[in-house]
Amino acid sequence: MFKKGSKLYSILRGACPKCHNESMYVNNNPYALQEALSMHERCSHCNTKYKMEPSFFYGSMYVSYGLGIAFAVAAFAISYLFLGTSLKMAFGAIVVTLIVFMPIIMRVSRNIWINLFIGYDKSKAK
């Protein structure tokens, strides 16, 4: 399921969507905030251009919104339903969760967005 060649592999690892041989990001650590969204221009292995057009990744904001909602619902369910906190504490848990996971949400949303348009090519992976 998470092996090379699957969309999930590229999405979760931030690997090139065409060959899965290198990271799209300059720094693999999403919490290095200065470089959180800094991407290579092209894949050094298969020469895939990541930024297909100047505003290509604006669409990932829509994906980011959906991921943010998923994280918020999970934070609410864990804090309010399972731990039995008050509504104010559950709201606080949502805010803290979104702040802590924002670099990951931004990267994963970019990964999902680019994987919608570029597919894995076995011949490029060699």
Side-chain angles (χ1 to χ4, degrees):
M1 184 172 177
F2 297 112
K3 294 181 181 180
K4 257 188 179 182
S6 71
K7 291 279 187 190
L8 282 176
Y9 180 87
S10 177
I11 289 169
L12 296 177
R13 297 192 50 122
C16 171
K18 184 152 303 232
C19 71
H20 294 186
N21 282 326
E22 78 167 23
S23 176
M24 293 187 292
Y25 299 97
V26 173
N27 189 338
N28 285 334
N29 182 4
Y31 290 101
L33 297 179
Q34 294 290 332
E35 300 175 328
L37 296 177
S38 296
M39 298 178 75
H40 298 288
E41 185 69 30
R42 294 180 177 273
C43 176
S44 64
H45 186 264
C46 69
N47 205 31
T48 298
K49 187 175 181 181
Y50 298 134
K51 298 173 186 173
M52 293 176 249
E53 57 188 48
S55 58
F56 175 70
F57 286 107
Y58 284 172
S60 70
M61 291 187 297
Y62 297 105
V63 177
S64 178
Y65 177 77
L67 286 176
I69 295 297
F71 273 78
V73 167
F76 176 79
I78 290 169
S79 65
Y80 186 73
L81 300 176
F82 294 123
L83 299 178
T85 62
S86 68
L87 281 177
K88 286 183 183 180
M89 288 296 291
F91 178 73
I94 292 170
V95 170
V96 169
T97 299
L98 290 177
I99 290 171
V100 169
F101 287 103
M102 188 50 61
I104 292 173
I105 291 170
M106 289 187 310
R107 276 206 179 177
V108 170
S109 65
R110 277 186 169 214
N111 298 346
I112 291 170
W113 188 252
I114 197 167
N115 273 279
L116 289 174
F117 297 98
I118 300 176
Y120 179 70
D121 185 358
K122 209 178 242 189
S123 65
K124 301 278 185 180
K126 296 176 183 177

